[in-house]
Amino acid sequence: MRELTAGGELVVDEVLDAAVDAMVVCGLLALAEARTEATVDPSAEAEQCLAAVPYFALAVALASADLD
């Protein structure tokens, strides 16, 4: 992260915000995949829902990071 912020192009908060956004999108994509799996195999749907959890957990951890 320091490389991105050292040149003054981005501040740390912007980098964290982008990381949070990326993790939320990954989680939502996993849930969207679960919805398509629901019509075929309910257990695959459950697995996809569980696959989304780490993305949302990481998003929360990044959003609540205190860098001060």
Side-chain angles (χ1 to χ4, degrees), residues 15-26:
V15 174
L16 282 176
D17 287 346
V20 169
D21 292 346
M23 290 300 99
V24 169
V25 168
C26 289

Side-chain angles (χ1 to χ4, degrees), residues 24-52:
V24 169
V25 168
C26 289
L28 291 174
L29 288 172
L31 290 178
E33 181 69 24
R35 187 167 58 167
T36 60
E37 294 285 335
T39 58
V40 179
D41 182 11
S43 64
E45 175 191 15
E47 287 178 25
Q48 285 299 119
C49 287
L50 289 175

Side-chain angles (χ1 to χ4, degrees), residues 43-65:
S43 64
E45 175 191 15
E47 287 178 25
Q48 285 299 119
C49 287
L50 289 175
V53 171
Y55 295 114
F56 292 124
L58 185 54
V60 170
L62 289 169
S64 62

